């Protein structure tokens, strides 16, 4: 009887050790993938900064759209008639930044949740796995960054701190910084955070009445729900 009891305890101990190992391996993998994604994002953001010839004029996130060369660049962007973002890069005199063959059209930084990632122009399942993607407007997205209207950005919620995993932790007044291909970095302030169904797209088609706004969207931790964040230029 004692031998049988001892064997049972041994089996339970082995099972417990295996479970602990699996949990630790899972947590370790989450940390590894998070650090790997953040490292790659840091490299791409740094490359984008080097390739945008006005990166030294962003004044630590301040709005420079109304002074110096950035005003002229903004006028050029607004007056471009082509939907080809290659021509936008040529107008700016900047070198194009790409990631796995996809064009980088900006960067997003949210200091309060410690993220900084590139924004890709193309919205596909493949691009969503590797970066933040611009979704709306549907055409000429490179020309829509930091311009009047509603720029919608999607990011995965990997529940590990990468991409948009933590945007649900943002509060009203939090600052978001968006840098475009002209090298201009604008500051946006969060003013609305809510959850909605994954079939609700009204956040993407809303009218900003001419204001420069961004909308962040990701899957929430609840099945069938999305976390939505609205922010406007300060």
């Amino acid at each position: 009887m004692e031998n049988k009891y001892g064997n049972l305890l041994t089996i339970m101990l082995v099972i417990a050790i295996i479970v602990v190992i699996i949990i630790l391996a899972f947590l370790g993998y989450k940390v590894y993938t998070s650090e790997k994604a953040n490292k790659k994002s840091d490299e791409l953001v740094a490359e984008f900064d080097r390739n945008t010839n006005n990166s030294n004029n962003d004044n630590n996130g301040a709005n420079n759209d109304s002074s110096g060369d950035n005003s002229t660049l903004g006028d050029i962007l607004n007056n471009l008639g082509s939907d080809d973002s290659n021509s936008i890069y040529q107008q700016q005199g900047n070198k194009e930044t790409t990631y796995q063959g996809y064009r980088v059209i900006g960067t997003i930084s949210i200091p309060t949740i410690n993220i900084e990632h590139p924004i890709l122009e193309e919205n596909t399942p493949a691009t969503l796995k590797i970066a933040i993607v611009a979704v709306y407007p549907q055409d000429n997205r490179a020309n829509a960054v930091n311009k009047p209207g509603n720029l919608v950005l999607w990011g995965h919620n990997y529940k590990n701190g990468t991409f948009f995993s933590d945007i649900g932790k943002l509060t009203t007044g939090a600052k978001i910084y968006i840098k475009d291909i002209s090298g201009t970095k604008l500051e946006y302030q969060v003013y609305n955070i809510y959850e909605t169904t994954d079939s609700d797209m009204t956040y993407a088609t809303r009218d900003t009445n001419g204001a420069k706004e961004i909308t962040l969207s990701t899957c929430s931790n609840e099945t069938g729900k999305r976390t939505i964040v609205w922010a406007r230029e300060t």
Side-chain angles (χ1 to χ4, degrees), residues 57-184:
N57 296 325
D58 59 35
N59 194 24
N60 195 31
N63 180 349
N64 297 316
D65 205 32
S66 60
S67 63
D69 290 339
N70 285 331
S71 176
T72 302
L73 290 169
D75 292 340
I76 292 172
L77 283 172
N78 286 331
N79 292 325
L80 283 175
S82 171
D83 286 341
D84 183 2
S85 56
N86 274 321
S87 64
I88 298 175
Y89 275 94
Q90 291 166 4
Q91 287 279 352
Q92 301 302 330
N94 295 331
K95 183 180 177 182
E96 182 177 290
T97 306
T98 61
Y99 180 32
Q100 296 187 15
Y102 300 104
R103 184 179 287 115
V104 178
I105 59 173
T107 61
I108 179 170
S109 173
I110 311 178
T112 53
I113 54 175
N114 195 32
I115 67 167
E116 189 169 34
H117 295 294
I119 300 170
L120 300 184
E121 181 178 34
E122 192 167 347
N123 171 29
T124 68
T127 55
L128 267 171
K129 290 180 180 179
I130 59 175
I132 306 306
V133 300
V135 182
Y136 286 90
Q138 293 180 314
D139 299 318
N140 201 10
R141 297 187 188 108
N143 193 28
V145 181
N146 286 340
K147 294 297 178 289
N150 178 31
L151 177 69
V152 179
L153 304 175
W154 280 2
H156 264 315
N157 176 8
Y158 284 114
K159 300 179 182 179
N160 63 358
T162 59
F163 301 130
F164 281 174
S165 297
D166 291 336
I167 64 170
K169 297 178 182 178
L170 293 173
T171 57
T172 300
K175 302 298 177 60
I176 301 173
Y177 300 96
I178 303 290
K179 187 173 185 180
D180 58 42
I181 59 177
S182 76
T184 300

